[in-house]
Amino acid sequence: MVSMTTSIKHCIERATHYREEILQEVSKQKTADNSDRSRVATAFISMGAGDFKAILTEIGNGNNGPALKLFRFLYEDVINALWIQSFAKDELINELLHGKDGQVPGTMASRAKDLDTIFVPPPTVQPAETLFVDIQGKLWKAACSYAHGGSLAINRELAGHDEQSLYEVIRTSTNLFVLLMNGMYELHHDHKQNDVLRGLANSFFAEKW
């Protein structure tokens, strides 16, 4: 366990603020019906929210290694959730929910590329900050190393995790959660925006930590 800097503590507080505000707004909305597609969506939203909370909790407790491993799970849950809701046919939904070994087809890279054809960043930010392909290009290799105990994970565990790395994980995790919740709402409501969720998203992207 390592001591947490004032800057990282502030980042955790702001990320937690956005998580709580978003979940509070979502709780007011009818986001699920009885369809299999909505049940799969509900499961992914729950997993994504849990991943994000766990990342913030582990960093807050000084357990940075586990938090960095969890980042890969969050990224995968966000990409898979949005891809399934956007592109999966009913047969795949049925297999995922009712089959014994349902799997999402393709690769994370291909699904990220697909999502970039329908999701665009808010006007308050540069595209490189939010497009899924860019997020994958910047962080996927490192996330895999941490998740599988690769050389990056081993050396960071011995040397300690620098403040910039922790900042990137917190900021990008918040980014992914904001995109997940806005995207899932809009996909479920025929692309109609939720003004509160979109306002929180714009506030986050414009806010400099």
Side-chain angles (χ1 to χ4, degrees):
M1 183 178 296
V2 298
S3 59
M4 181 170 49
T5 66
T6 301
S7 176
I8 294 301
K9 182 179 180 181
H10 174 69
C11 290
I12 292 174
E13 290 173 350
R14 297 308 298 155
T16 300
H17 162 77
Y18 283 107
R19 180 183 182 277
E20 292 176 350
E21 290 294 312
I22 288 170
L23 290 177
Q24 182 178 11
E25 175 59 24
V26 169
S27 71
K28 301 175 184 177
Q29 308 298 324
K30 184 179 179 181
T31 56
D33 51 37
N34 293 322
S35 69
D36 284 353
R37 189 175 294 271
S38 286
R39 293 176 67 193
V40 171
T42 298
F44 271 109
I45 288 172
S46 178
M47 289 189 289
D51 295 337
F52 186 32
K53 181 179 181 180
I55 289 169
L56 299 179
T57 299
E58 292 293 355
I59 294 177
N61 290 334
N63 299 320
N64 299 323
L68 294 171
K69 291 183 179 181
L70 287 165
F71 175 81
R72 175 176 171 172
F73 298 142
L74 173 62
Y75 178 80
E76 289 182 334
D77 284 341
V78 170
I79 294 297
N80 288 337
L82 294 174
W83 188 90
I84 289 167
Q85 293 303 306
S86 302
F87 297 104
K89 298 184 182 300
D90 290 341
E91 292 80 4
L92 176 58
I93 296 292
N94 181 72
E95 180 63 22
L96 290 170
L97 191 61
H98 302 292
K100 294 182 178 179
D101 192 31
Q103 299 290 331
V104 184
T107 64
M108 295 303 297
S110 67
R111 291 192 284 278
K113 186 175 181 179
D114 287 341
L115 289 174
D116 279 347
T117 66
I118 59 173
F119 287 95
V120 295
T124 54
V125 297
Q126 294 298 314
E129 292 186 51
T130 56
L131 292 178
F132 295 105
V133 168
D134 291 331
I135 293 173
Q136 171 132 354
K138 288 187 291 186
L139 297 171
W140 181 245
K141 185 176 181 180
C144 290
S145 180
Y146 278 111
H148 297 301
S151 59
L152 182 58
I154 292 169
N155 285 289
R156 285 296 187 188
E157 198 65 28
L158 293 173
H161 299 84
D162 62 277
E163 183 175 279
Q164 183 63 28
S165 295
L166 297 178
Y167 166 81
E168 290 290 346
V169 169
I170 297 169
R171 182 80 188 184
T172 307
S173 294
T174 310
N175 187 348
L176 287 169
F177 186 71
V178 167
L179 291 170
L180 170 67
M181 302 306 284
N182 271 273
M184 294 297 269
Y185 181 92
E186 293 175 17
L187 289 168
H188 189 79
H189 292 86
D190 297 322
H191 302 285
K192 180 182 178 181
Q193 294 182 5
N194 177 296
D195 291 339
V196 174
L197 292 178
R198 183 51 65 105
L200 287 166
N202 288 335
S203 175
F204 162 71
F205 289 124
E207 185 176 311
K208 303 301 181 183
W209 297 348

